[in-house]
């Protein structure tokens, strides 16, 4: 592409103007007319265009040139942050300044407080880089939480937000829930440990029911109780966006537990729900079992540590017997014992369409009966992985009672002398009895001895091994037993702690 330079054009324009002025002073037919024509041809020749490259900055000049010193737009908001810190009177967080251009920023445990959060919020209004922001454990309080809400009205880039352990309380709940519905980019929100209570539950229930963007919501470790569960249930039922909900470590019990489980039953979108560490009990377990029968989308259920006993476990098992979508079931830390685990495995065996991959019985001791039925489960479902709390310790066998104790007890109970007791066996008064006579006497007196105990007693009393027990042998055996008993009592007494 070619053009002419501004300097050359000006020079040629001046020459042409002079020639025109001269031509106006000449009269037609004058002697110099031919000279004028010659001059005009020379001017035309002088106007030849110079070829200039437009990419050469020195070859052209214009008043529209841009100023190269104009500062570029700050997408990170660093300048705005420094100015905001001056405005609210806080020291800038150096970590935040260094990472404002990162997509993921972790500001947890930085002790920001309300004013520190206000400064950061001002800069985040214009920040286009951060998409994952962790503000956990900064004691933001009500004013810091409101600063976050105001920021989220303008920021359309943050999709993951963690506000755990910030003492937001119910005062901030309404504004926070309103912005969760208004913001179109938030997908993953964690609000653990913010002391939200039943008053706050109404606002969060509305968010669960109406949100069109949230996919994950964590409300664990708050103060939601029975009333909160009652309002959460219908909201969960109507939810059509949240895929994963965490309500663990709250106090949802009785009617609240039943309501939440009923909401799970009719929900057609949620894939994972964590209800552990609440207090569902048998009543809640019945509702969970019913939910497993009716729900056809849930894949992951955690109901650990919910006071679910053996009866509750069997009821939940009835739901598993027909469920065809659940892949993970965590039901550990419940007082269901080995019998409850056995009942769940028995229910799984009845469901040929079961697709469970993980079965968690953490901290529950199981016995050999459970092992046997679980082996059958593994044969039918080889991909199923199971975890339990270990095997029950074997029952301690009852301490063996020396057969002489039973003889001694009989003698004392009936207030007999040893010779009187012997006479019951010695029918012929020979002061000696055979083994057969001794056994017959035991039956007549009603002393209940096992065959092993009887054999042991005969061996100890028949000291000379002649097949008969005489009175002297009975006296010696009885005396030896009393001496051993006395020594044992002395040992036990010496082992007792000395008290004053």
């Amino acid at each position: 592409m070619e053009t002419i330079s501004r300097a050359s054009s000006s020079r040629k324009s001046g020459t042409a103007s002079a020639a025109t002025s001269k031509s106006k002073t000449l009269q037609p037919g004058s002697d110099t007319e031919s000279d004028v024509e010659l001059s005009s041809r020379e001017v035309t020749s002088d106007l030849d265009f110079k070829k200039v490259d437009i990419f050469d900055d020195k070859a052209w000049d214009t008043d529209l040139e841009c100023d190269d010193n104009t500062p570029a737009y700050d997408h990170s908001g660093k300048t705005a942050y420094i100015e905001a810190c001056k405005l609210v009177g806080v020291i800038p967080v150096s970590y935040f300044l260094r990472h404002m251009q990162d997509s993921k920023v972790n500001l947890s445990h930085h002790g920001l407080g309300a004013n520190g959060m206000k400064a950061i919020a001002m800069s985040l209004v214009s920040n286009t880089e951060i998409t994952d922001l962790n503000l956990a454990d900064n004691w933001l309080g009500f004013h810091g939480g409101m600063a976050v809400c105001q920021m989220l009205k303008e920021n359309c880039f943050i999709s993951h937000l963690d506000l755990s352990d910030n003492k937001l309380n119910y005062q901030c709940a309404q504004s926070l829930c309103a912005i969760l519905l208004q913001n179109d980019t938030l997908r993953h929100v964690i609000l653990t440990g913010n002391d939200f209570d039943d008053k706050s539950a109404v606002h969060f229930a509305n968010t669960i029911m109406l949100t069109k963007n949230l996919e994950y919501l964590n409300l664990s470790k708050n103060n939601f109780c029975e009333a909160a569960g009652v309002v959460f249930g219908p909201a969960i039922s109507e939810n059509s966006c949240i895929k994963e909900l965490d309500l663990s470590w709250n106090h949802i019990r009785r009617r609240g537990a039943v309501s939440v489980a009923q909401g799970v039953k009719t929900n057609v979108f949620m894939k994972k729900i964590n209800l552990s560490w609440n207090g569902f009990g048998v009543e809640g377990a019945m509702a969970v079992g019913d939910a497993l029968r009716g729900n056809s989308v849930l894949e992951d259920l955690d109901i650990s540590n919910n006071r679910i006993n053996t009866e509750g476990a069997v009821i939940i098992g009835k739901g598993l017997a027909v469920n065809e979508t659940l892949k993970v079931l965590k039901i550990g830390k419940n007082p269901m014992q080995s019998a409850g685990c056995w009942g769940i495995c028995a229910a799984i065996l009845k469901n040929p369409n079961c697709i469970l991959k993980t079965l968690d019985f953490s901290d529950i001791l199981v016995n050999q009966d459970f092992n046997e039925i679980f082996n059958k489960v593994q044969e039918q479902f080889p991909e199923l992985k199971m975890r339990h709390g270990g095997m029950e310790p074997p029952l301690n066998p009852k301490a063996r009672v020396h057969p002489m104790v039973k003889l001694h007890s009989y003698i004392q109970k009936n207030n007999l002398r040893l010779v009187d007791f012997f006479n019951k066996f010695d029918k012929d008064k020979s002061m000696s009895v055979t083994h057969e006579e001794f056994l017959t006497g035991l039956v007549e007196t009603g002393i209940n001895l096992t065959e092993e105990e009887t054999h042991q007693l005969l061996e100890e009393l028949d000291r000379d091994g002649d097949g008969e027990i005489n009175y002297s042998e009975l006296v010696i055996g009885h005396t030896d037993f009393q001496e051993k008993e006395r020594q044992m009592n002395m040992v036990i007494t010496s082992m007792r702690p000395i008290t004053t």
Side-chain angles (χ1 to χ4, degrees), residues 13-143:
S13 299
T15 305
S17 299
T20 304
S21 177
K22 289 181 181 179
S23 65
K24 290 181 180 180
T25 60
L26 296 177
Q27 299 297 326
S30 66
D31 295 337
T32 61
E33 185 176 1
S34 60
D35 295 334
V36 173
E37 292 175 358
L38 178 60
S39 177
S40 298
R41 287 195 297 271
E42 292 174 355
V43 171
T44 303
S45 175
D46 192 38
L47 288 174
D48 291 340
F49 297 126
K50 290 185 177 180
K51 297 180 179 179
V52 180
D53 187 358
I54 65 171
F55 298 105
D56 185 1
D57 293 340
K58 297 180 179 180
W60 59 282
D61 185 21
T62 176
D63 293 334
L64 300 178
E65 293 182 12
C66 298
D67 186 0
D68 293 338
N69 295 326
T70 303
Y73 178 73
D74 183 10
H75 293 276
S76 66
K78 187 175 294 185
T79 303
Y81 177 55
I82 295 175
E83 294 298 325
C85 288
K86 294 178 181 178
L87 181 63
V88 300
V90 297
I91 299 174
V93 179
S94 58
Y95 173 86
F96 185 54
L97 286 171
R98 293 195 306 270
H99 295 275
M100 289 182 74
Q101 293 181 335
D102 296 348
S103 61
K104 184 175 182 179
V105 175
N106 186 349
L107 285 171
S108 61
H109 318 300
H110 274 71
L112 298 177
N115 288 336
M117 187 64 247
K118 289 178 182 178
I120 290 177
M122 291 179 189
S123 67
L124 290 175
V125 168
S126 58
N127 184 286
T128 62
E129 306 292 338
I130 299 174
T131 59
D132 189 332
L133 180 62
N134 187 343
L135 295 170
D137 190 27
N138 278 292
W139 207 280
L140 302 184
F142 169 71
H143 296 290

